[in-house]
Amino acid sequence: MLLLIPGPVTTRPQVRQALAQDIAPWDNESRTFLTRLRGRILRLAGGSDAHTTLPLQGCGHFITEAALRTFLSPGGRILIPATGAYADRMIRLAREAGRIPVPLPMGAADATDPLAVARVLAADPTLSHVGMVYSETGSGVIHDVQAVGAVVRAAGRRMIIDAVSAFGALPLDLSTQPEVDAAVFTANKCLEALPGIAFAVARVDRLEAGAGNAGSWSFDLSNVHEHALRSGPGSFRFTPPAQLLAALDVALDFHDDEGRAARLARYTANMRVLYDGVRSLGLTPMLPPEHQGPVIVNVRAPGDPAWDLQAFVDALKSRGYLISNFYNTSLPTFRVGCIGAIGPDDMAGAVRAMDQALRELGIKQREPVQE
Amino acid sequence: MLLLIPGPVTTRPQVRQALAQDIAPWDNESRTFLTRLRGRILRLAGGSDAHTTLPLQGCGHFITEAALRTFLSPGGRILIPATGAYADRMIRLAREAGRIPVPLPMGAADATDPLAVARVLAADPTLSHVGMVYSETGSGVIHDVQAVGAVVRAAGRRMIIDAVSAFGALPLDLSTQPEVDAAVFTANKCLEALPGIAFAVARVDRLEAGAGNAGSWSFDLSNVHEHALRSGPGSFRFTPPAQLLAALDVALDFHDDEGRAARLARYTANMRVLYDGVRSLGLTPMLPPEHQGPVIVNVRAPGDPAWDLQAFVDALKSRGYLISNFYNTSLPTFRVGCIGAIGPDDMAGAVRAMDQALRELGIKQREPVQE
């Protein structure tokens, strides 16, 4: 069964097998292991001596909330380009944590316009931060964090990057983006490992400046940093999901072997086979080709009255391809991921299975309902 | 290698092996699975129709903070018997979350006195809650949550139980303790599964009353409950550590086969072999026998100038027994866990290994330094 949901992703058997062991988290071997793992992740992010890797138990929501709490003061204001479902997530996390998110409205298929960000920052000096989703799986659009970062830098403001479904495939070089307080991500997307562990790569000076901001011991990244200084870089703060870290380390070996750029090229090839494939079936991707990123393709639901997302998911599943049984676009769609330990042949197989599934369900009208 | 750290614990091979699979969290099979898992845990807690099981990504700190945020209003006051390191943890979590923890001072070797709790509650009507550690691994003492619960109930106050290192072994019947808002725990202690997933079993009426309290979307247990109502009991809120849930389910099969009372009896037998064993070696347990619980034995550090905790840990590790390389008692100790997929014979082997390790290190003076 291939997972195209898109994330948790399909992993390699060696990665999964590394889970199946008992591990003592603060043992000296574990300390050496974690110290090395933090360094590997720092290098993947283009981190310098000015940065550190902060591991956090849990999911993407948790590490995003932790970054918002640590780097924004209570009541602090953050501009968030409204790129889709994951920008909405950041907005809600900030609001419930007592920060003030200011959405920047934009079209669902559009890339974030750096000039629009610059204009809002110039007009509102109270905005200390810009929060930005790098790969918006709510649409499939990749947003240019380098270009937006440049205007944030020029305006003397700070930036938090939600790189959850980008990290490990899309380029990130924090050494060239001093305006970034932190990039946050999880193990179970483009790193091709398992869910339950998250990371921030963050600036040490900003972690020190953020001490006392969080209003939560659990989500205080400054304290995670302080703990590592006090107890050593291999000492996880609180009980870690040690098996997930072991699997991630194996997954990073595969990442080293492949290289980031080659991984991005593989995902892009996956996306192209899928995107062209669904069009050849008479289906309609949500995005025009020039805005379609390599991580997820959202496909408009067929207009046929026989369309039933769960029945379609079940028919694909019986053929070995698992896609999401929900969508998070405003129009009805189905979501297909292009990431994980899969290649273009797998995507070609998925397209053939979609054709068979549509026939099985009696879907004749494959174009979406006209708005 | 046996893990006696104590938790993460030694698991059975079948439990670990259940980790090694790719899982799609919101697939219909996963929904059926999670619905059933929540029910299993609810029954283990003695939950009734008035209760629900709330899973949360992460560790014991996270679920404890989530319960404090959800059931206490911002600025709310909670009495916390100062039983040791894990009570201190609850105190810090509450304080940093903007609640007011009020410690109840007590001796490190003492059980919580219900009458002392009753007196403080009677004198201070602003204390809405009592927060209590059931099994204090900072000392090894088990605290009587039923007796303390009775005085909390009589005083018309509410209670939060940190059952992290108790749940699955020590008795808990929430149907008889309506004063308890929630009991919180993790998978990697007496349930003999892996770290990275936590749970609360909580009262539905109190979850509904607590909506809006949390000041954190991630840690809002009312929202976890609301999500389950809206999206179905098998829909995990945010990406779950799906592999850890699969392993927990296998661990619960073993728990069913053994039974809670038999598991407690096994741990108690483990503790007895260890406790009597270290005394026969000339070592001194921190607690007198009548206060020694079945989960962890803290042993006073030998007074010999050659004593070195890490060297002792290494010498034991070379013999297949892994204990903690830190302690969280005020006096120097070493910690040995009695929980996990281990039996009295394993503990007897650990005691023999300790004797060999002490000889290897040249420890002649095994009694602790006099205070």
Side-chain angles (χ1 to χ4, degrees):
Chain A
M1 184 73 64
L2 292 185
L3 268 52
L4 309 175
I5 58 175
V9 298
T10 302
T11 64
R12 288 178 172 75
Q14 298 93 323
V15 173
R16 300 194 290 275
Q17 200 55 46
L19 295 166
Q21 56 180 319
D22 281 337
I23 299 171
W26 298 279
D27 179 51
N28 281 353
E29 284 178 65
S30 288
R31 288 170 186 260
T32 304
F33 168 85
L34 179 60
T35 302
R36 180 169 167 273
L37 185 69
R38 292 178 66 196
R40 295 185 84 169
I41 291 168
L42 188 76
R43 287 190 293 279
L44 279 181
S48 69
D49 288 350
H51 297 93
T52 189
T53 302
L54 307 163
L56 190 76
Q57 299 86 345
C59 56
H61 289 71
F62 287 12
I63 191 69
T64 302
E65 178 170 340
L68 292 164
R69 284 184 173 276
T70 302
F71 298 109
L72 270 81
S73 306
R77 291 161 57 83
I78 181 168
L79 179 68
I80 301 177
T83 54
Y86 288 81
D88 292 346
R89 168 172 91 167
M90 191 187 284
I91 289 167
R92 182 168 177 181
L93 286 166
R95 194 179 59 237
E96 298 207 12
R99 279 64 179 170
I100 315 292
V102 178
L104 176 64
M106 51 185 289
D110 296 341
T112 303
D113 178 4
L115 295 178
V117 173
R119 274 194 299 273
V120 177
L121 292 180
D124 186 348
T126 70
L127 289 161
S128 65
H129 281 74
V130 173
M132 191 168 170
V133 179
Y134 194 168
S135 167
E136 174 56 81
T137 55
S139 64
V141 175
I142 303 299
H143 296 273
D144 190 339
V145 296
Q146 289 81 16
V148 174
V151 307
V152 173
R153 191 160 67 244
R157 315 298 169 87
R158 311 295 314 163
M159 189 162 173
I160 294 170
I161 300 176
D162 170 353
V164 169
S165 72
F167 189 79
L170 292 156
L172 186 68
D173 183 359
L174 293 181
S175 70
T176 66
Q177 295 203 259
E179 73 281 5
V180 176
D181 282 352
V184 301
F185 48 90
T186 63
N188 55 290
K189 300 282 190 180
C190 303
L191 295 178
E192 302 187 358
L194 286 314
I197 180 69
F199 296 92
V201 178
R203 287 189 67 88
V204 170
D205 57 352
R206 297 292 298 164
L207 287 164
E208 289 167 356
N213 273 347
S216 162
W217 186 21
S218 300
F219 283 159
D220 184 354
L221 294 180
S222 293
N223 183 256
V224 177
H225 171 61
E226 186 190 310
H227 176 86
L229 288 183
R230 194 177 57 245
S231 306
S235 176
F236 214 108
R237 193 192 67 145
F238 313 159
T239 302
Q243 284 70 20
L244 304 178
L245 295 168
L248 174 60
D249 194 53
V250 175
L252 292 182
D253 291 341
F254 283 106
H255 190 278
D256 282 352
D257 291 345
E258 182 172 25
R260 187 205 54 78
R263 180 158 295 187
L264 177 60
R266 174 163 59 85
Y267 292 169
T268 303
N270 290 350
M271 177 276 287
R272 186 55 55 204
V273 169
L274 177 67
Y275 189 94
D276 294 346
V278 296
R279 290 217 292 192
S280 75
L281 299 183
L283 294 166
T284 306
M286 195 185 106
L287 294 178
E290 65 274 19
H291 287 170
Q292 176 63 58
V295 173
I296 181 173
V297 177
N298 289 286
V299 182
R300 301 281 302 277
D304 197 294
W307 172 254
D308 177 311
L309 176 57
Q310 186 64 55
F312 182 64
V313 169
D314 291 343
L316 281 179
K317 186 178 175 185
S318 72
R319 291 166 172 86
Y321 301 93
L322 201 48
I323 68 166
S324 297
N325 53 8
F326 63 91
Y327 56 89
N328 44 26
T329 50
S330 51
L331 292 170
T333 56
F334 64 89
R335 301 158 30 108
V336 188
C338 308
I339 60 177
I342 53 172
D345 289 350
D346 295 314
M347 303 314 279
V351 171
R352 283 192 299 274
M354 285 176 198
D355 191 34
Q356 293 163 8
L358 291 170
R359 290 173 198 278
E360 181 181 313
L361 300 184
I363 307 288
K364 297 195 174 66
Q365 162 75 23
R366 294 184 175 184
E367 295 83 42
V369 174
Q370 292 305 307
E371 291 157 68
Chain B
M1 185 70 64
L2 292 185
L3 268 53
L4 308 176
I5 56 176
V9 298
T10 303
T11 65
R12 288 179 171 76
Q14 298 94 323
V15 172
R16 301 194 289 274
Q17 201 54 49
L19 294 166
Q21 55 180 320
D22 281 338
I23 299 172
W26 297 280
D27 178 51
N28 281 354
E29 283 178 66
S30 288
R31 288 170 186 259
T32 304
F33 168 84
L34 179 60
T35 302
R36 181 169 165 276
L37 185 70
R38 292 178 67 195
R40 295 185 83 170
I41 291 167
L42 188 76
R43 285 189 295 278
L44 279 181
S48 68
D49 288 352
H51 296 93
T52 188
T53 302
L54 306 162
L56 189 76
Q57 298 85 345
C59 56
H61 289 72
F62 288 12
I63 192 70
T64 303
E65 179 169 338
L68 292 165
R69 285 184 172 275
T70 302
F71 298 109
L72 270 81
S73 306
R77 290 161 58 83
I78 181 168
L79 179 68
I80 301 178
T83 54
Y86 288 81
D88 292 345
R89 166 173 93 169
M90 192 187 282
I91 289 167
R92 182 168 177 181
L93 287 166
R95 193 179 60 237
E96 297 206 14
R99 278 63 179 170
I100 315 294
V102 178
L104 175 64
M106 52 185 287
D110 296 341
T112 303
D113 177 4
L115 295 178
V117 173
R119 274 194 299 271
V120 177
L121 292 180
D124 186 347
T126 70
L127 289 162
S128 66
H129 281 75
V130 173
M132 191 169 171
V133 179
Y134 193 168
S135 167
E136 173 56 81
T137 56
S139 64
V141 175
I142 303 299
H143 296 272
D144 190 340
V145 296
Q146 289 82 16
V148 174
V151 307
V152 173
R153 191 159 68 245
R157 314 299 168 85
R158 310 296 313 163
M159 188 164 174
I160 293 171
I161 300 175
D162 170 352
V164 168
S165 72
F167 190 79
L170 291 156
L172 188 67
D173 183 0
L174 293 181
S175 69
T176 66
Q177 294 203 259
E179 73 282 3
V180 176
D181 282 353
V184 302
F185 48 90
T186 63
N188 55 292
K189 300 280 189 179
C190 302
L191 294 178
E192 300 187 359
L194 287 315
I197 180 70
F199 297 91
V201 178
R203 287 190 65 89
V204 170
D205 57 352
R206 298 291 301 164
L207 287 164
E208 289 168 356
N213 273 347
S216 163
W217 186 20
S218 300
F219 283 159
D220 184 353
L221 295 180
S222 293
N223 184 256
V224 176
H225 172 61
E226 185 190 311
H227 176 86
L229 288 183
R230 195 177 58 246
S231 304
S235 176
F236 214 109
R237 191 192 69 142
F238 314 159
T239 301
Q243 283 71 19
L244 303 178
L245 295 170
L248 174 59
D249 195 52
V250 175
L252 292 182
D253 291 342
F254 284 106
H255 190 279
D256 283 352
D257 290 346
E258 182 172 23
R260 185 205 55 78
R263 179 158 296 186
L264 176 60
R266 175 163 58 87
Y267 292 169
T268 303
N270 291 349
M271 177 274 289
R272 184 56 54 201
V273 169
L274 177 66
Y275 189 92
D276 293 345
V278 297
R279 289 215 292 190
S280 74
L281 299 183
L283 295 166
T284 306
M286 193 185 109
L287 294 178
E290 65 274 19
H291 287 169
Q292 176 62 59
V295 172
I296 180 173
V297 175
N298 290 286
V299 182
R300 298 281 303 277
D304 198 292
W307 172 254
D308 178 310
L309 176 58
Q310 185 64 55
F312 182 64
V313 169
D314 292 343
L316 281 180
K317 184 178 174 184
S318 72
R319 291 165 171 86
Y321 301 93
L322 199 49
I323 69 164
S324 297
N325 53 8
F326 62 91
Y327 56 90
N328 44 27
T329 50
S330 51
L331 292 170
T333 56
F334 62 89
R335 304 156 30 108
V336 188
C338 307
I339 59 176
I342 53 173
D345 289 350
D346 296 313
M347 302 315 278
V351 171
R352 282 191 300 274
M354 285 176 198
D355 191 34
Q356 294 162 8
L358 290 171
R359 291 173 196 278
E360 181 180 314
L361 300 184
I363 307 289
K364 296 196 174 67
Q365 162 75 23
R366 294 185 175 184
E367 295 83 45
V369 174
Q370 293 304 309
E371 291 156 64

